[in-house]
């Protein structure tokens, strides 16, 4: 902290303070997030350090830039840029009921999407998307902040924070105690878009029970017809009850009315970088093996094998062969047999030609087989890679979910409403774990 002079405390979240500071080194203002980690286990602390290292590597014009982090007296300090324009929540409230122009909403929304794309493309979830974590810089650029901080904290704290902090962005799957996933971020993105369109929260209620019921039923007051059909239809897609039915951030950015705004905010070079990575992460940059296992033949030798352009002509089959019917062309019999069957028996057979065919035909077959084999191997490798990634992600989600489950128990017992009524499965079952009313009853005193 000796490198910074404290200017003022600008806020206090449920997990720590946000302090505005001035750097002694460069004289610029920064925000420092102070997170108490003294109650964490050493393993959790280690994990937090790793998470912070990931955050430090994020660099995007629409993400609040993380600058530094350090630990002092049992607290973790994360230094980030100060956004002078304040947060979107305050900006929305400053409207005093006057709706924003659609152009303004979409310009902001596309920037939020670009930030979220950067995060999701790197297989990181934000976990705390809300208008209070979206900032405006001095020149009006949108920046997504606080991402990953939720991950720095353990899931239990995160859940308690959601329950006592801002529950408006809870997605149906979280209400139903299912794992948080990238589509839960998309739900929260929908909540922010709705807020920009109506200046209100999509899901509001006087208590937790009614809020959960509203979220689960997915009913929200319609937005003004003054906004385009595209915008209203996008909102209903973001609020799909089933996470799988919600679009990914990449498919949102592919929508014409959103896509056309991207170049306003990203330079051509950044567009190339950001939109290239998607292809990379999806297909993986796989090295081509120099030798195919077991074959003893190098790939290069197969690639450089002479190309047969007109196989029929090469093997002496008349090119007018088709007149005997397509079916015959597809029969598995060797071409030579067809030739014999349809050619005049008096025609002399050239023995040299015959010998050449005898060698070429099996070689050609071998090449085809090898190509086929190689294609199969490649497919298998990609499949295995995809499965491995899926398995790892599932394990990670299950771990989070276990902690989350514990979190619900803590919250509920702290609220005096007793134990969960049914055991919670960790499977990614799309069906609710509890009946809606049972869950809502359980949550009544957790508000
Ligand atoms: P919360 O749990 O509500 O996200 P935070 O500690 O993140 O609490 O933020 C507290 C306040 O500090 C918020 O009002 C937010 O607007 C402000 N704030 C946080 N980070 C920044 C930042 N980088 N630039 C400007 N204001 C910030
Ligand atoms: Mg915040």
């Amino acid at each position: 902290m000796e490198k910074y002079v404290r200017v003022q405390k600008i806020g206090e979240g449920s997990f720590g303070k946000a302090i505005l500071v001035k750097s002694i080194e460069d004289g610029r203002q920064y925000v420092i997030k102070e997170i108490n980690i003294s109650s964490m286990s050493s393993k959790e602390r280690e994990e937090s350090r790793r998470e912070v290292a990931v955050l430090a590597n994020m660099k995007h014009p629409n993400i609040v830039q993380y600058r530094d982090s350090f630990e002092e007296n049992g607290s973790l300090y994360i230094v980030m840029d100060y956004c002078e324009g304040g947060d979107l929540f305050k900006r929305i409230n400053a409207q005093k009921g006057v709706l924003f122009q659609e152009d303004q909403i979409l310009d902001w929304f596309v920037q939020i999407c670009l930030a979220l794309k950067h995060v999701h493309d790197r297989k990181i979830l934000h976990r705390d998307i809300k208008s209070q974590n979206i900032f405006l810089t001095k020149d009006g650029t949108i920046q997504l902040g606080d991402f990953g901080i939720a991950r720095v904290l353990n899931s239990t704290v995160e859940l308690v924070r959601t329950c006592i902090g801002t529950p408006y962005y809870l997605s149906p799957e979280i209400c139903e105690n299912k794992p948080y996933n990238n589509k839960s971020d998309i739900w929260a993105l929908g909540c922010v878009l709705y807020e920009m369109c109506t200046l209100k929260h999509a899901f509001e209620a006087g208590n937790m029970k009614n809020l959960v019921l509203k979220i689960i039923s997915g009913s929200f007051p319609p937005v003004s017809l003054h906004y385009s059909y595209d915008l209203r239809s996008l909102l209903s897609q973001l609020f799909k009850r089933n996470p799988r039915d919600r679009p990914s951030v990449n498919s949102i950015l592919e929508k014409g009315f959103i896509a056309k705004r991207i170049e306003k905010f990203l330079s051509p070079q950044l567009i190339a970088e950001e939109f290239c990575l998607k292809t990379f992460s999806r297909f993986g940059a796989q090295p081509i093996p120099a030798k195919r296992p077991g074959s003893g033949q190098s790939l290069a030798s197969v690639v450089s094998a002479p190309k047969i352009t007109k196989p029929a002509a090469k093997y002496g089959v008349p090119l007018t062969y088709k007149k005997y019917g397509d079916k015959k062309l597809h029969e598995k019999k060797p071409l030579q047999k067809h030739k014999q069957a349809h050619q005049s028996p008096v025609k002399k057979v050239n023995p040299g030609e015959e010998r050449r065919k005898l060698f070429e035909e099996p070689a050609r077959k071998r090449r085809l087989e090898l190509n086929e084999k190689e294609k199969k191997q490649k497919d298998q490798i990609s499949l295995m890679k995809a499965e491995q990634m899926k398995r790892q992600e599932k394990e990670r989600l299950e771990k989070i979910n276990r902690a989350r489950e514990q979190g619900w128990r803590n919250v509920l017992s702290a609220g005096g409403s007793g134990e969960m009524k049914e055991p919670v499965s960790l499977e990614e079952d799309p069906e609710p774990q509890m009946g809606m009313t049972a869950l809502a009853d359980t949550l009544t005193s957790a508000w």
Side-chain angles (χ1 to χ4, degrees):
M1 248 338 226
E2 67 275 5
K3 285 196 280 180
Y4 303 93
V5 177
R6 183 187 285 253
V7 177
Q8 66 179 98
K9 188 171 102 178
I10 52 170
E12 181 136 21
S14 43
F15 58 84
K17 292 178 202 144
I19 310 155
L20 178 65
V21 297
K22 193 170 173 182
S23 158
I24 294 172
E25 277 171 18
D26 62 14
R28 287 180 54 190
Q29 286 189 315
Y30 293 98
V31 168
I32 295 190
K33 284 296 188 71
E34 186 191 74
I35 301 163
N36 187 346
I37 54 162
S38 58
S39 55
M40 287 184 186
S41 69
S42 59
K43 195 170 162 250
E44 282 170 331
R45 249 175 273 166
E46 206 40 60
E47 217 163 88
S48 308
R49 286 178 197 122
R50 274 201 301 275
E51 299 281 5
V52 171
V54 173
L55 302 184
N57 278 322
M58 294 274 167
K59 195 168 166 46
H60 189 281
N62 300 116
I63 290 178
V64 178
Q65 187 60 49
Y66 282 70
R67 296 289 171 186
D68 192 10
S69 72
F70 52 89
E71 284 173 43
E72 253 176 47
N73 311 322
S75 284
L76 170 67
Y77 294 88
I78 303 174
V79 186
M80 65 191 84
D81 281 356
Y82 172 52
C83 302
E84 286 181 58
D87 64 48
L88 193 59
F89 181 73
K90 286 184 197 133
R91 182 72 187 76
I92 288 170
N93 284 340
Q95 282 298 106
K96 304 248 178 288
V98 181
L99 296 184
F100 289 115
Q101 293 288 316
E102 179 158 334
D103 235 25
Q104 175 67 87
I105 295 173
L106 293 178
D107 274 355
W108 282 342
F109 182 72
V110 72
Q111 294 177 74
I112 304 169
C113 287
L114 289 169
L116 192 60
K117 169 185 170 51
H118 189 81
V119 179
H120 280 190
D121 277 353
R122 284 154 184 78
K123 302 278 175 260
I124 295 170
L125 305 176
H126 185 288
R127 303 180 156 270
D128 201 14
I129 293 174
K130 55 181 184 179
S131 53
Q132 278 160 305
N133 279 340
I134 295 167
F135 300 95
L136 286 153
T137 64
K138 208 174 175 178
D139 70 0
T141 304
I142 282 279
Q143 289 194 329
L144 181 60
D146 265 9
F147 79 91
I149 289 188
R151 256 163 57 116
V152 171
L153 299 160
N154 68 49
S155 318
T156 310
V157 179
E158 182 195 338
L159 184 83
V160 174
R161 187 162 57 94
T162 312
C163 281
I164 57 176
T166 323
Y168 305 110
Y169 303 81
L170 275 179
S171 56
E173 60 273 19
I174 301 306
C175 289
E176 289 165 0
N177 209 35
K178 287 185 211 157
Y180 197 99
N181 60 72
N182 60 326
K183 299 298 182 71
S184 317
D185 273 351
I186 298 292
W187 175 276
L189 181 71
C191 293
V192 171
L193 180 59
Y194 184 95
E195 248 178 287
M196 291 194 284
C197 295
T198 62
L199 316 176
K200 294 185 187 109
H201 290 298
F203 305 95
E204 264 180 330
N207 59 49
M208 192 71 167
K209 172 182 174 174
N210 289 341
L211 179 67
V212 167
L213 283 175
K214 275 193 180 171
I215 292 171
I216 291 176
S217 69
S219 62
F220 54 90
V223 305
S224 165
L225 289 176
H226 146 112
Y227 292 120
S228 70
Y229 172 79
D230 278 340
L231 176 51
R232 285 177 288 127
S233 141
L234 173 62
L235 256 177
S236 59
Q237 290 168 43
L238 301 177
F239 282 148
K240 289 276 182 205
R241 211 184 147 281
N242 185 342
R244 283 184 203 144
D245 296 336
R246 289 171 219 150
S248 67
V249 73
N250 277 310
S251 49
I252 297 171
L253 283 165
E254 275 164 19
K255 292 181 189 293
F257 75 112
I258 304 288
K260 68 178 186 196
R261 290 172 190 268
I262 296 174
E263 59 185 21
K264 264 170 107 171
F265 303 103
L266 289 188
S267 66
Q269 197 202 333
L270 264 178
I271 291 179
E273 279 172 25
E274 289 295 302
F275 286 80
C276 206
L277 185 83
K278 181 185 156 198
T279 327
F280 259 90
S281 62
R282 210 182 259 178
F283 301 110
Q286 287 177 15
I288 300 164
K291 286 198 170 189
R292 276 164 301 109
S295 74
Q297 194 180 356
S298 78
L299 185 74
S301 70
V302 174
V303 172
S304 63
K307 209 173 149 196
I308 300 165
T309 42
K310 284 183 181 162
K314 183 147 185 131
Y315 291 109
V317 178
L319 289 174
T320 50
Y321 189 80
K322 224 175 166 199
K323 73 182 172 194
Y324 296 107
D326 278 353
K327 194 171 158 264
K328 282 188 182 153
L329 277 175
H330 294 128
E331 276 174 9
K332 285 201 174 125
K333 286 182 204 163
L335 288 168
Q336 184 59 30
K337 285 198 178 161
H338 289 288
K339 187 184 151 198
Q340 279 172 349
H342 297 287
Q343 272 179 352
S344 153
V346 293
K347 196 183 172 195
K348 273 198 177 169
V349 176
N350 176 351
E353 172 89 341
E354 276 302 294
R355 261 201 308 281
R356 191 174 59 77
K357 272 179 233 153
L358 223 67
F359 285 107
E360 277 186 357
E361 176 68 359
R364 190 183 69 91
K365 266 193 183 167
R366 229 182 10 255
R367 268 198 301 276
L368 285 175
E369 273 170 22
L370 288 173
N371 280 345
E372 191 60 30
K373 224 177 178 180
E374 188 178 305
K375 196 177 159 285
K376 267 191 195 153
Q377 272 169 359
K378 267 192 187 167
D379 287 352
Q380 232 169 353
I381 291 171
S382 340
L383 205 78
M384 271 161 58
K385 274 197 174 170
E387 271 173 4
Q388 190 189 3
M389 272 173 69
K390 222 169 124 185
R391 230 182 3 255
Q392 281 171 347
E393 181 63 9
K394 200 176 168 198
E395 276 165 15
R396 203 177 64 75
L397 288 174
E398 280 177 359
K399 203 173 131 201
I400 291 167
N401 201 29
R402 272 195 294 278
R404 190 178 289 282
E405 182 192 346
Q406 193 54 47
W408 279 115
R409 290 219 174 97
N410 289 350
V411 171
L412 298 174
S413 51
S417 64
E419 287 291 300
M420 291 285 255
K421 287 179 182 158
E422 284 177 38
V424 180
S425 147
L426 293 176
E427 277 169 36
E428 284 181 66
D429 178 0
E431 289 310 309
Q433 307 291 344
M434 289 190 185
M436 276 200 253
T437 334
L439 173 70
D441 282 344
T442 318
L443 288 170
T444 312
S445 54
W447 176 248

